[in-house]
Every structure is written in structure tokens, then in C-alpha cells.
Amino acid sequence: MSYVFENVGNKKELWTEIGFKDQDLKIIPYSKYHLWCADKANGIYLFQIGNDRGNTPNFFDMSYKKRIIRITVVESIETDENRAAYICNIQRISIPRSVWEERDEIVKNAEAGIKEILASLKNNASLLVNCEPECVVADYNGE
């Protein structure tokens, strides 16, 4: 796993093929300025979908073997007398039945990709996985 947090750039064809969708399941239009976390050697792309009007949770979608894994993340800030820490808790990982047997690898990749995004965007952030993956019949693209 070798993730790079970068602009989508000129990868319009790949972006369109993946077909990331928002919370309302509407296609997110291509922009070369979108940021994603890419493991190009393994063809894995993780995109932060975001949340509903600033509320939690946040959603991340990972394209894994051309299947979409939706990841639900709840964010919080914990403070003590000396510092504040940004905590992200993975609360749900929805894995399509077609790649369910690879769930351990999928969870590792989801964790690594989200950690890379957090390291690129936020200082002093940590990630916890607080769920077991769940099997869904298909991803939102019907795969």
C-alpha cells in the first residue's frame, strides 16, 4: 500500500469510470481539482464525499477492484488541559458481496487511505476503527 494524496488532475476518464456519488447518490462531476488518495499500483482510489451540510458523519468512498466501498466516519475533538486532538472513528464499512472475501485487505486499505488523507489535511489527527465490516448485496453502481 503506497497512497498519495493528490489532485485528480487529468484523469477524467478514470473518474467517470469509477462514478463516485454523493450522499443522495447523484454522480459527482469531474473536476481536476478534486482531491483523492490513490494507490495507483493497486488501482485503489479513496475520495472524501463529505457530509450533509456540515453535520456528521462524513462519508468516504473507496474504489476497490471497480467496486465502491462506502465508509462512514464520525469526527470529534478531544481536549485536555494541554492540547486538542482530532479523532476520526470509522463507524461503518459497507463491502459489496462480490469482494466480501477480501474484506481484511479492504479494511487495511481503507484505514491506510483515510490516515493519509488525515495526515495531509489535519494536524494531530488519529483514526480508530470501531466496527466490523458489513456485507451489502451490491455497491451503489450495482456491482
Side-chain angles (χ1 to χ4, degrees):
M1 291 178 282
S2 177
Y3 283 96
V4 176
F5 187 63
E6 65 182 10
N7 285 322
V8 172
N10 63 357
K11 296 182 178 59
K12 182 177 183 176
E13 186 176 311
L14 176 59
W15 178 270
T16 303
E17 180 183 333
I18 291 170
F20 288 121
K21 296 181 181 178
D22 66 15
Q23 299 92 324
D24 297 323
L25 300 181
K26 294 179 183 168
I27 292 286
I28 297 172
Y30 162 79
S31 168
K32 66 181 178 181
Y33 301 108
H34 281 312
L35 296 168
W36 65 9
C37 198
D39 178 350
K40 295 174 190 172
N42 293 305
I44 301 171
Y45 299 88
L46 185 72
F47 181 68
Q48 184 173 4
I49 301 300
N51 55 32
D52 187 24
R53 295 173 194 75
N55 297 320
T56 59
N58 273 318
F59 298 98
F60 293 78
D61 282 355
M62 183 171 71
S63 175
Y64 178 87
K65 294 189 176 179
K66 300 188 181 182
R67 304 298 187 273
I68 301 297
I69 314 303
R70 176 138 292 179
I71 304 159
T72 305
V73 177
V74 175
E75 301 174 2
S76 63
I77 297 175
E78 295 181 5
T79 60
D80 62 25
E81 294 175 6
N82 300 316
R83 64 181 184 93
Y86 188 79
I87 311 293
C88 289
N89 293 287
I90 296 177
Q91 298 292 324
R92 173 179 274 166
I93 304 172
S94 300
I95 301 174
R97 183 173 293 142
S98 60
V99 291
W100 178 248
E101 295 302 318
E102 299 173 58
R103 64 187 169 273
D104 291 340
E105 187 66 22
I106 290 168
V107 170
K108 281 194 277 186
N109 276 282
E111 194 172 355
I114 292 172
K115 281 182 178 178
E116 183 64 32
I117 291 171
L118 291 175
S120 298
L121 296 177
K122 306 196 183 304
N123 290 326
N124 197 22
S126 62
L127 180 69
L128 305 169
V129 179
N130 289 325
C131 67
E132 291 294 322
E134 68 176 343
C135 184
V136 295
V137 174
D139 69 12
Y140 56 55
N141 290 322
E143 303 277 342

